[in-house]
Amino acid sequence: MKIKQDIRFRVYVAFTAICLLGLAIIFKAAWIQVKEGEQLRAMAKQLLTRNTVLPAERGNIYTEDGYLLCSSIPQFDLRVDFSVIDSTLFFKNVDQLSKGLSAAFADASPAQYRKQLADGYAKNLKYYLLKKNVPYYHYQTVRSLPVFDKGQRRGGLIVESKTKRINPYGMLAYRTIGLFRENARTVGLESTCDSVLKGENGRRMERKLTGGVWMPVEGSITEPMNGSDIVTTLDISIQGVAEHALLNVLKQFKCQYGTAIVMEVATGKIRAMVNLGLQSNGTYWEDYNYAMTLAEPGSTFKLATLTALLNDGYINVEDKVDCHGGQKQFADRVMHDSHHGLGVMPIKEAFAHSSNVAMGSLAYKHYAGNPKKFVKHLKDLHLNTKTGIDLLGETKPYMIEPGEKDWRATTLPWMATGYGIMISPLHTCMLYNAVANNGKMMKPYLISAIKEYGKDVKVFNPTVLNEKIASAEAIKQLQACTREVAISGTAKAIATPYYNISGKTGTSQVSDKGIPYSAKVYQGSFVGYFPSEAPRYTVCVVIRTQKHATSYYGGALAAPVFRMIADKIFANGMGIWSGPLDSLSALNKGVVARHAATGGTYHRIMQSLGLAPVTGIDRASLATITTDSNKKTQYVKQSIYYGIVPDVKGLGLKDAVYLLENEGMKVTINGRGTIQQQSIAPGTRVTKGQQIVLVLS
């Protein structure tokens, strides 16, 4: 009896345990279904599906006349999965594959490539890096080689695509244009216009099939929206001239940095903006936007002082002013001119000779009792606010105002000569441009339009900041003063018989960013416009010296840069010289280089040299040029056939792009200089919209 009870008890316990276990399973299943089901189903789905990002193509940056300043080109990282390659296939073709790789990349011999491949195969590597950053035309060659032409599953070639942002013209306007880099700081227009350029990425859902192949799910694709293109106001020819001129002077005098700005008088368009800084290896590079860097401007600021005095009717520029021999005491400080000996003279001449004492005396005489009136004039000239140029990072100017703790009895006369106020070269350029523009102050700007697929979606028009900075009579007197500078004043050395120059030199001793005045670092500048009678461009050049420089005056450093820039612009667009330009005279020795170029290019060259213009070929034709024994110019027209890819090797980038785009081809550029290779052989029939890659030296 006792045994039966014991057995029955055990059966009940076991049965109860089984029932409880069953209930627990049911409860857990219900819990999973209700509470965790959605998460677990999503996890299971992720094992079989995935979302793939379809990157948008970043927009290009162009000049107004269609030159490409910045673009994206495809690049590829090539890897190899040796584990999927059949041994017979590999060893039968490895020699031919090695030869193909050696020929394509030209960086190792076939024997070296064979050793790399054989080592990778012996180790059964599944993610072996063959080559990084391969351009499209090399990628096309590699994928057609034996073994790799079998695809990823049999040939083992793994292709990882990406895009590279390039500036075809290298350093030219590099800081202004900027360069987009993933996970890195972006500057210039690339940063300002990032939201416009980047577009919107698309997405696609893919399902994993048997065998590990991923296939798009029908109806799940959201196409990417490519970025819009930016059209800038920059002129690549003027930019090149300005860079060359500034770089020559920086190298000659071993300066710390320099900037050159070219602004179109009537519109405020920035046609060139050069920013070159000295690097540790002794070269110069577009490393910082010095055009927007604040500093005490020095004597170029005297134009603002004259504007205030004329607006209030206190002076006429023919009135006499005493320069006191170039030395005068204000309160507890003595002001000096850079050159002593100036006495009583017309204000116009004192301005031309850049007398600090004259400008300081006039400002002190008329505004010492009400300095706020003087400062208000400066504010009316927008010298206390940002210019508003379409670049990020612009800093608001610094100006001491009456009533502040730093305002002293000597602040007013020194401010009248360009000290005690910090503005950028762009502000100075804007001020002189207003005088050139008969008093109308224009906002400087860099973006001309936004385009999508070649059509304008937004156009940016010139903006007037101040319709009249002074009366017509005052403007006339200001123009007379700036003209006198290049006639009898501190810039007379850059005067030319071919056109008239107006402007002002400036030299200021620097004390900023931890640099004391005792370090004797100077800023030499020249800002002016040309031709004086009907100005087209305003040019501002500012150069910062290194410590204890021996040459630092604006007339010696910056003014020659202005002259070189103005010469080239005038020769190319505003007249024909009767003789060769100073900067080009060395080229005019009777022999002309025999390089192929378009007729339009040769026309501009011959015009600049004062030689007979191109005849017998139109501007769109390709030609070579030579001289005979009598030094007579001859042009030989080169044959280009419609619908056939031309041979552009040896040409400059502009001419090559012009010829290829004329045939309806899309051009991608790699490198800088002259064309060394083209991805499509000359003589090939053109397919409209076909992409061609040009490799530059």
Side-chain angles (χ1 to χ4, degrees):
M1 187 72 177
K2 189 176 180 181
I3 294 174
K4 288 182 179 181
Q5 288 178 344
D6 188 49
I7 293 172
R8 190 182 298 116
F9 175 76
R10 292 181 182 182
V11 170
Y12 289 156
V13 170
F15 178 76
T16 302
I18 292 171
C19 289
L20 290 173
L21 179 61
L23 289 172
I25 292 171
I26 293 170
F27 177 78
K28 184 63 175 177
W31 179 269
I32 291 172
Q33 185 71 17
V34 175
K35 293 293 186 180
E36 300 177 1
E38 186 175 343
Q39 181 182 356
L40 293 172
R41 281 191 295 272
M43 291 174 62
K45 191 176 181 180
Q46 285 179 2
L47 297 175
L48 297 174
T49 62
R50 67 182 181 187
N51 281 314
T52 301
V53 174
L54 304 177
E57 184 177 329
R58 193 171 178 84
N60 297 326
I61 300 178
Y62 295 94
T63 64
E64 284 186 334
D65 48 0
Y67 289 112
L68 184 66
L69 295 175
C70 195
S71 185
S72 298
I73 61 171
Q75 283 193 335
F76 305 87
D77 289 348
L78 304 181
R79 298 179 181 271
V80 183
D81 181 0
F82 289 104
S83 67
V84 302
I85 305 175
D86 179 76
S87 60
T88 302
L89 175 67
F90 179 80
F91 288 109
K92 180 181 178 181
N93 296 284
V94 66
D95 289 333
Q96 192 174 351
L97 174 60
S98 300
K99 289 179 182 178
L101 293 172
S102 178
F105 298 122
D107 59 349
S109 66
Q112 289 172 318
Y113 267 110
R114 192 189 191 289
K115 184 178 185 307
Q116 291 179 34
L117 295 171
D119 288 346
Y121 191 82
K123 296 175 182 177
N124 201 33
L125 299 177
K126 296 184 178 182
Y127 201 57
Y128 174 76
L129 178 62
L130 181 65
K131 190 69 65 177
K132 288 181 69 70
N133 301 325
V134 174
Y136 181 76
Y137 54 93
H138 279 164
Y139 158 62
Q140 290 287 70
T141 300
V142 171
R143 68 183 296 195
S144 66
L145 294 175
V147 181
F148 293 159
D149 61 356
K150 304 300 181 186
Q152 181 175 340
R153 296 185 64 188
R154 292 184 58 207
L157 182 63
I158 302 171
V159 180
E160 297 172 351
S161 63
K162 56 186 178 181
T163 58
K164 178 186 178 183
R165 199 72 172 162
I166 63 163
N167 291 43
Y169 292 96
M171 185 170 70
L172 213 63
Y174 184 87
R175 185 71 193 188
T176 305
I177 299 165
L179 187 66
F180 174 78
R181 298 164 292 176
E182 293 285 354
N183 304 317
R185 181 170 175 261
T186 305
V187 297
L189 290 173
E190 285 277 16
S191 178
T192 304
C193 304
D194 181 62
S195 61
V196 175
L197 290 164
K198 69 180 181 181
E200 292 184 19
N201 291 336
R203 292 191 176 277
R204 178 178 67 199
M205 181 174 286
E206 296 176 338
R207 180 179 290 115
K208 192 174 187 181
L209 303 179
T210 305
V213 178
W214 291 93
M215 183 176 181
V217 176
E218 187 176 352
S220 68
I221 298 176
T222 302
E223 295 291 345
M225 294 178 61
N226 291 336
S228 301
D229 296 331
I230 298 297
V231 179
T232 73
T233 62
L234 295 174
D235 184 306
I236 203 67
S237 299
I238 296 177
Q239 181 76 29
V241 169
E243 180 186 293
H244 176 74
L246 181 63
L247 184 60
N248 277 349
V249 171
L250 292 177
K251 285 182 175 179
Q252 180 182 351
F253 293 98
K254 297 180 175 59
C255 299
Q256 185 178 342
Y257 66 75
T259 183
I261 306 164
V262 181
M263 181 186 292
E264 192 172 82
V265 170
T267 63
K269 290 181 178 180
I270 300 298
R271 292 307 194 183
M273 184 181 285
V274 185
N275 297 283
L276 298 176
L278 180 64
Q279 307 302 296
S280 58
N281 61 1
T283 63
Y284 287 88
W285 182 253
E286 286 250 350
D287 59 350
Y288 192 77
N289 198 330
Y290 301 109
M292 289 164 42
T293 300
L294 301 183
E296 291 175 313
S299 292
T300 55
F301 192 78
K302 291 171 183 173
L303 189 72
T305 301
L306 272 188
T307 303
L309 291 164
L310 288 167
N311 267 333
D312 286 330
Y314 291 143
I315 64 165
N316 183 293
V317 296
E318 298 299 336
D319 295 341
K320 298 291 178 61
V321 62
D322 191 351
C323 300
H324 296 279
Q327 178 176 313
K328 185 178 180 180
Q329 183 154 348
F330 295 92
D332 59 344
R333 294 180 66 186
V334 177
M335 178 177 283
H336 294 273
D337 288 343
S338 57
H339 301 288
H340 287 193
L342 298 178
V344 178
M345 60 175 58
I347 293 172
K348 180 171 69 174
E349 291 184 21
F351 179 87
H353 288 86
S354 200
S355 171
N356 295 326
V357 171
M359 290 300 113
S361 297
L362 289 170
Y364 194 79
K365 175 182 177 181
H366 296 290
Y367 294 110
N370 188 8
K372 288 184 178 180
K373 189 175 182 180
F374 177 73
V375 171
K376 183 181 182 304
H377 282 297
L378 303 185
K379 292 180 178 180
D380 290 342
L381 295 174
H382 295 267
L383 298 179
N384 67 319
T385 59
K386 299 178 183 179
T387 66
I389 192 170
D390 25 27
L391 284 175
L392 297 178
E394 185 176 17
T395 306
K396 183 180 177 181
Y398 169 73
M399 182 187 301
I400 305 173
E401 296 196 39
E404 294 181 350
K405 64 177 182 178
D406 291 330
W407 185 273
R408 295 180 173 83
T410 56
T411 300
L412 177 62
W414 261 263
M415 183 179 286
T417 62
Y419 291 91
I421 182 171
M422 298 185 74
I423 60 175
S424 71
L426 198 58
H427 283 89
T428 305
C429 191
M430 186 174 71
L431 172 62
Y432 279 75
N433 194 77
V435 173
N437 200 25
N438 294 318
K440 184 183 289 187
M441 179 173 280
M442 307 302 298
K443 174 185 173 182
Y445 71 107
L446 274 163
I447 301 174
S448 177
I450 298 173
K451 288 180 179 285
E452 288 182 359
Y453 304 104
K455 294 183 179 180
D456 290 337
V457 294
K458 187 172 183 180
V459 175
F460 297 87
N461 296 312
T463 302
V464 179
L465 295 178
N466 192 334
E467 281 288 350
K468 212 72 175 172
I469 66 168
S471 67
E473 177 58 30
I475 292 296
K476 185 177 178 181
Q477 293 189 57
L478 291 172
Q479 291 172 342
C481 288
T482 55
R483 177 74 188 98
E484 190 66 30
V485 173
I487 295 175
S488 64
T490 53
K492 63 183 179 182
I494 65 167
T496 166
Y498 302 109
Y499 59 93
N500 291 328
I501 294 170
S502 297
K504 181 72 182 74
T505 59
T507 307
S508 60
Q509 196 167 349
V510 174
S511 176
D512 61 14
K513 297 179 182 178
I515 301 173
Y517 285 124
S518 59
K520 293 188 177 180
V521 174
Y522 294 89
Q523 182 167 284
S525 55
F526 183 87
V527 56
Y529 51 88
F530 68 96
S532 300
E533 298 77 13
R536 285 280 302 277
Y537 297 103
T538 300
V539 181
C540 179
V541 180
V542 177
I543 295 175
R544 177 72 66 94
T545 70
Q546 296 195 68
K547 294 179 180 180
H548 307 292
T550 55
S551 182
Y552 49 81
Y553 287 111
L557 293 179
V561 177
F562 174 96
R563 169 67 190 276
M564 284 187 276
I565 295 171
D567 275 356
K568 186 63 176 177
I569 293 175
F570 188 82
N572 280 351
M574 299 180 63
I576 300 176
W577 296 97
S578 58
L581 290 175
D582 298 355
S583 55
L584 297 176
S585 59
L587 300 177
N588 190 18
K589 301 297 184 184
V591 179
V592 182
R594 298 167 176 83
H595 290 292
T598 58
T601 297
Y602 276 124
H603 178 82
R604 290 193 298 272
I605 292 173
M606 304 308 288
Q607 185 182 48
S608 299
L609 294 174
L611 302 178
V614 174
T615 58
I617 56 170
D618 60 66
R619 290 176 179 251
S621 296
L622 189 67
T624 54
I625 188 171
T626 186
T627 52
D628 60 20
S629 58
N630 294 319
K631 298 185 179 180
K632 182 180 178 181
T633 305
Q634 295 179 329
Y635 307 93
V636 182
K637 189 172 182 178
Q638 303 297 296
S639 297
I640 297 179
Y641 300 97
Y642 179 75
I644 301 297
V645 178
D647 186 355
V648 297
K649 293 189 292 294
L651 293 184
L653 180 62
K654 295 179 186 177
D655 291 332
V657 171
Y658 177 83
L659 293 170
L660 294 169
E661 289 186 347
N662 244 16
E663 294 293 336
M665 305 184 77
K666 293 182 178 179
V667 182
T668 297
I669 302 148
N670 193 358
R672 63 180 299 188
T674 56
I675 313 297
Q676 299 298 313
Q677 300 177 45
Q678 58 187 87
S679 62
I680 301 176
T684 305
R685 187 164 294 279
V686 171
T687 302
K688 294 296 181 184
Q690 186 176 13
Q691 183 173 350
I692 183 170
V693 180
L694 304 180
V695 180
L696 284 63
S697 61

